[in-house]
Amino acid sequence: MQSLFGRNCLLCGSPTTEDLCAPCRNSLPHISAHHCPVCALPMEETRVCGACLAHPPAFDHTLAAVNYAFPIDALLHSLKYRTNLALAPVLADLLLAQIDKTLLPDFIVPMPLHAVRLRERGFNQTMEISRQISKKSDVPLLPTLCRRVRDTASQTGLPWKEREKNIRNAFDCEGNLDGKRIAIVDDVMTTGATLNELARVLRKCGAVHISAWVVARTLPGTP
C-alpha cells in the first residue's frame, strides 16, 4: 500500500521501501536451486530431466519466479478472480528478478485468453503481467499475435495426456517470426500442456527459440 509515509508490505503490513518486505520476500516458495532447465521441476542436480529428454516440449526453456504455494497462490487468485490489478506489477517484478538481462528474447507473447473468458473477467491477467515485464525489460510485447480460438474446458484436474488433447488446436498465431526468440508469459505452469501447444504454433510461425516465463510453477502432488 502506498501512503504519504511510504509503503507497507503487501503480505504482513510492515513498513518497507518495496512492495514486499525483506523477510516476506525471503520466505516466498522459491524455485529449487537445482531443477530441469526445460520444465523447471526440481532435480538433485541441474540437468534436463528424463521426461523432457524422452518427450521434448515445443519450448526450449522455462523460467519460473516461484513455486505455486502460499502466499503466491493467494496473490494470483486475488489478481485473477478479484480484479486486484495492483498485484500485476508485483508479480511481474518477481519474474523480472529472475531474468538474465543479457539473454533477452526479441518479443514477449502473453498467453491468450478466449474472448468468452475475457468478456466474463474483463481482463487477461497474463496480459497485465506481460505489459509490466515488457515495459521494465524493454522487450517488445506482441499482444495480438496469437488468439485463443477454442474455449476449452478447464485444465484443472486433467492428467497430462487429457490436457494435451483438451488444448490441441486452441491457438492461432498470425505473423512472421522467422529467426526470432520468443518468451511466452503465463501466470502458472502445471503440466506445461498449454504452454507447449502455444509454443508449437509459434514454431510454425518461424520462432527459433521459445522460453516459458511463468510467475509460478506447480510442483508434483500439489492439490
Side-chain angles (χ1 to χ4, degrees):
M1 180 183 297
Q2 190 71 39
S3 72
L4 294 175
F5 304 100
R7 295 180 178 177
N8 293 93
C9 176
L10 289 171
L11 295 178
C12 72
S14 299
T16 179
T17 58
E18 305 292 339
D19 294 306
L20 301 176
C21 68
C24 283
R25 184 177 292 273
N26 292 336
S27 67
L28 293 177
H30 295 289
I31 294 291
S32 171
H34 297 295
H35 57 266
C36 171
V38 179
C39 69
L41 286 180
M43 302 278 290
E44 291 185 1
E45 57 182 295
T46 300
R47 59 178 177 81
V48 179
C49 70
C52 289
L53 286 172
H55 303 286
F59 52 86
D60 301 278
H61 173 72
T62 295
L63 180 68
V66 287
N67 291 323
Y68 187 68
F70 186 81
I72 296 300
D73 54 356
L75 295 179
L76 285 167
H77 190 277
S78 183
L79 168 62
K80 189 172 181 177
Y81 299 111
R82 297 182 181 177
T83 322
N84 193 347
L85 298 179
L87 289 175
V90 178
L91 296 168
D93 285 346
L94 292 178
L95 191 46
L96 279 162
Q98 305 301 318
I99 295 172
D100 186 343
K101 306 304 188 296
T102 66
L103 296 173
L104 292 174
D106 296 299
F107 299 107
I108 289 171
V109 173
M111 179 62 68
L113 193 65
H114 191 271
V116 171
R117 302 289 180 90
L118 187 59
R119 284 194 298 269
E120 291 174 351
R121 194 172 300 162
F123 70 102
N124 178 352
Q125 76 281 356
T126 301
M127 180 71 75
E128 299 304 317
I129 294 170
S130 297
R131 285 196 181 107
Q132 296 295 325
I133 295 174
S134 174
K135 179 181 178 180
K136 295 177 181 180
S137 67
D138 290 324
V139 178
L141 180 67
L142 299 178
T144 60
L145 177 77
C146 299
R147 297 180 300 122
R148 195 156 185 157
V149 294
R150 288 181 52 234
D151 186 18
T152 56
S154 173
Q155 296 279 74
T156 304
L158 295 177
W160 197 95
K161 288 186 177 181
E162 290 299 316
R163 289 184 183 224
E164 183 183 30
K165 181 180 179 181
N166 183 49
I167 203 68
R168 199 71 171 174
N169 299 319
F171 301 107
D172 178 59
C173 297
E174 297 181 359
N176 184 356
L177 297 176
D178 287 349
K180 301 302 182 182
R181 300 170 62 88
I182 304 298
I184 301 172
V185 173
D186 205 357
D187 53 354
V188 180
M189 178 180 181
T190 303
T191 64
T194 304
L195 285 158
N196 185 64
E197 179 63 15
L198 181 56
R200 187 182 68 82
V201 178
L202 290 170
R203 291 282 185 196
K204 290 185 176 181
C205 292
V208 295
H209 187 279
I210 300 174
S211 296
W213 287 0
V214 298
V215 174
R217 179 59 162 110
T218 301
L219 297 178
T222 301

